[in-house]
Amino acid sequence: MDRTLAIIKPDAVERRLTGRILERIEAEGFQIRAMRMVRMTKREAEGFYAVHRDRPFFQSLTTFMSSGPTVVLVLEAPDAVRKWRELMGATNPAQAAEGTIRRTFATSVERNATHGSDGPETAAFELAYFFRGLELTGE
Ligand code: IDP
Ligand code: MG
């Protein structure tokens, strides 16, 4: 079993899409191992997206991610990292496959409804960014 970090971003929470996205996650066979609502500060969003600090969209992205509450989740499934990215679809919703979460719910490349870790090392960093050991080890 594998774990990945998912975030329901502020655009989707604000538009009351949380329930529909959670339903989709469970329907696709993920076990939700931990879940919490988090309103990140600007600084916390910058720490989370530190790998992107030199990208032109960094300031806008971290302002957006700290603009309202998010839902952070630990998802478990075989091959969870890849499987969750596949369910989310491409970063740019215009390029995301039909039926993916981003194709269905995103309104722009920035306001794209959900986040997912992009590999096992990233997942380990991102899970630890939001969840403590005890929350992560429970069955
Ligand atoms: P990912 O979320 O699909 O892994 P990343 O390249 O890691 O995509 O980018 C992180 C987030 O930054 C994206 O989900 C999106 O919200 C935002 N982003 C990425 N590229 C752009 C862009 O070209 N313009 C504006 N925002 C972007
Ligand atoms: Mg990424």
Side-chain angles (χ1 to χ4, degrees):
M1 278 296 175
D2 252 353
R3 285 175 177 184
T4 192
L5 183 85
I7 303 179
I8 304 176
K9 293 186 179 185
D11 59 321
V13 173
E14 166 68 23
R15 291 167 61 219
R16 303 196 295 270
L17 298 170
T18 299
R20 289 165 73 183
I21 292 171
L22 292 177
E23 192 166 47
R24 197 68 205 282
I25 285 169
E26 293 195 321
E28 296 288 339
F30 291 96
Q31 201 68 39
I32 297 171
R33 286 299 184 198
M35 175 165 71
R36 198 165 74 246
M37 272 192 117
V38 175
R39 172 143 190 189
M40 278 181 260
T41 64
K42 179 78 157 75
R43 191 173 290 262
E44 286 163 349
E46 288 169 1
F48 181 73
Y49 279 118
V51 293
H52 291 320
R53 79 179 84 74
D54 297 325
R55 299 290 200 87
F57 57 81
F58 181 71
Q59 280 309 321
S60 177
L61 171 64
T62 53
T63 296
F64 161 57
M65 288 299 288
S66 57
S67 68
T70 65
V71 178
V72 295
L73 298 134
V74 179
L75 303 185
E76 189 175 88
D79 206 10
V81 169
R82 194 198 52 75
K83 186 176 154 86
W84 172 233
R85 287 194 70 90
E86 191 175 299
L87 176 58
M88 287 198 301
T91 308
N92 184 344
Q95 282 150 22
E98 197 64 51
T100 59
I101 288 174
R102 283 167 164 174
R103 178 66 172 263
T104 308
F105 298 121
T107 53
S108 74
V109 63
E110 179 175 272
R111 302 172 74 84
N112 60 1
T114 51
H115 166 86
S117 312
D118 66 6
E121 291 84 28
T122 317
F125 167 80
E126 292 184 353
L127 291 167
Y129 201 78
F130 289 108
F131 295 95
R132 292 170 168 281
L134 272 179
E135 294 173 284
L136 290 175
T137 53
E139 283 300 298

